[in-house]
Amino acid sequence: PPSRSENSVTIQWNPVTNASKYAVNISPLSSSSYRFLGYIGNTRNKAKINKLKAGTAYVIKITALRRYR
């Protein structure tokens, strides 16, 4: 079981047609620098983000990426 000190959030979004993957970025609301968390394949449209600090507001940015041929 997760420890009590771990703060996480699960976010879900509407699938984007023709997206090959999604990039997940996070930034504290007080900052404008985003940190890249990773890619999520186009078969999943949700992500769990761990290690959030209690009392901190975050902006989470999901970018749909398309594979160009």
Side-chain angles (χ1 to χ4, degrees):
S3 66
R4 213 166 260 206
S5 60
E6 183 186 322
N7 297 296
S8 66
V9 66
T10 299
I11 56 170
Q12 192 159 2
W13 57 92
N14 293 327
V16 177
T17 310
N18 295 328
S20 62
K21 60 186 173 183
Y22 301 98
V24 182
N25 291 270
I26 191 167
S27 169
L29 193 56
S30 56
S31 161
S32 59
S33 61
Y34 281 86
R35 190 162 60 91
F36 174 68
L37 294 181
Y39 293 113
I40 291 191
N42 62 353
T43 55
R44 292 176 54 217
N45 57 319
K46 69 180 185 180
K48 183 178 180 188
I49 299 172
N50 301 311
K51 297 183 183 167
L52 300 175
K53 287 196 189 104
T56 302
Y58 292 93
V59 178
I60 297 167
K61 187 167 65 171
I62 308 294
T63 309
L65 301 172
R66 188 171 174 185
R67 191 183 294 114
Y68 293 102
R69 295 179 202 258

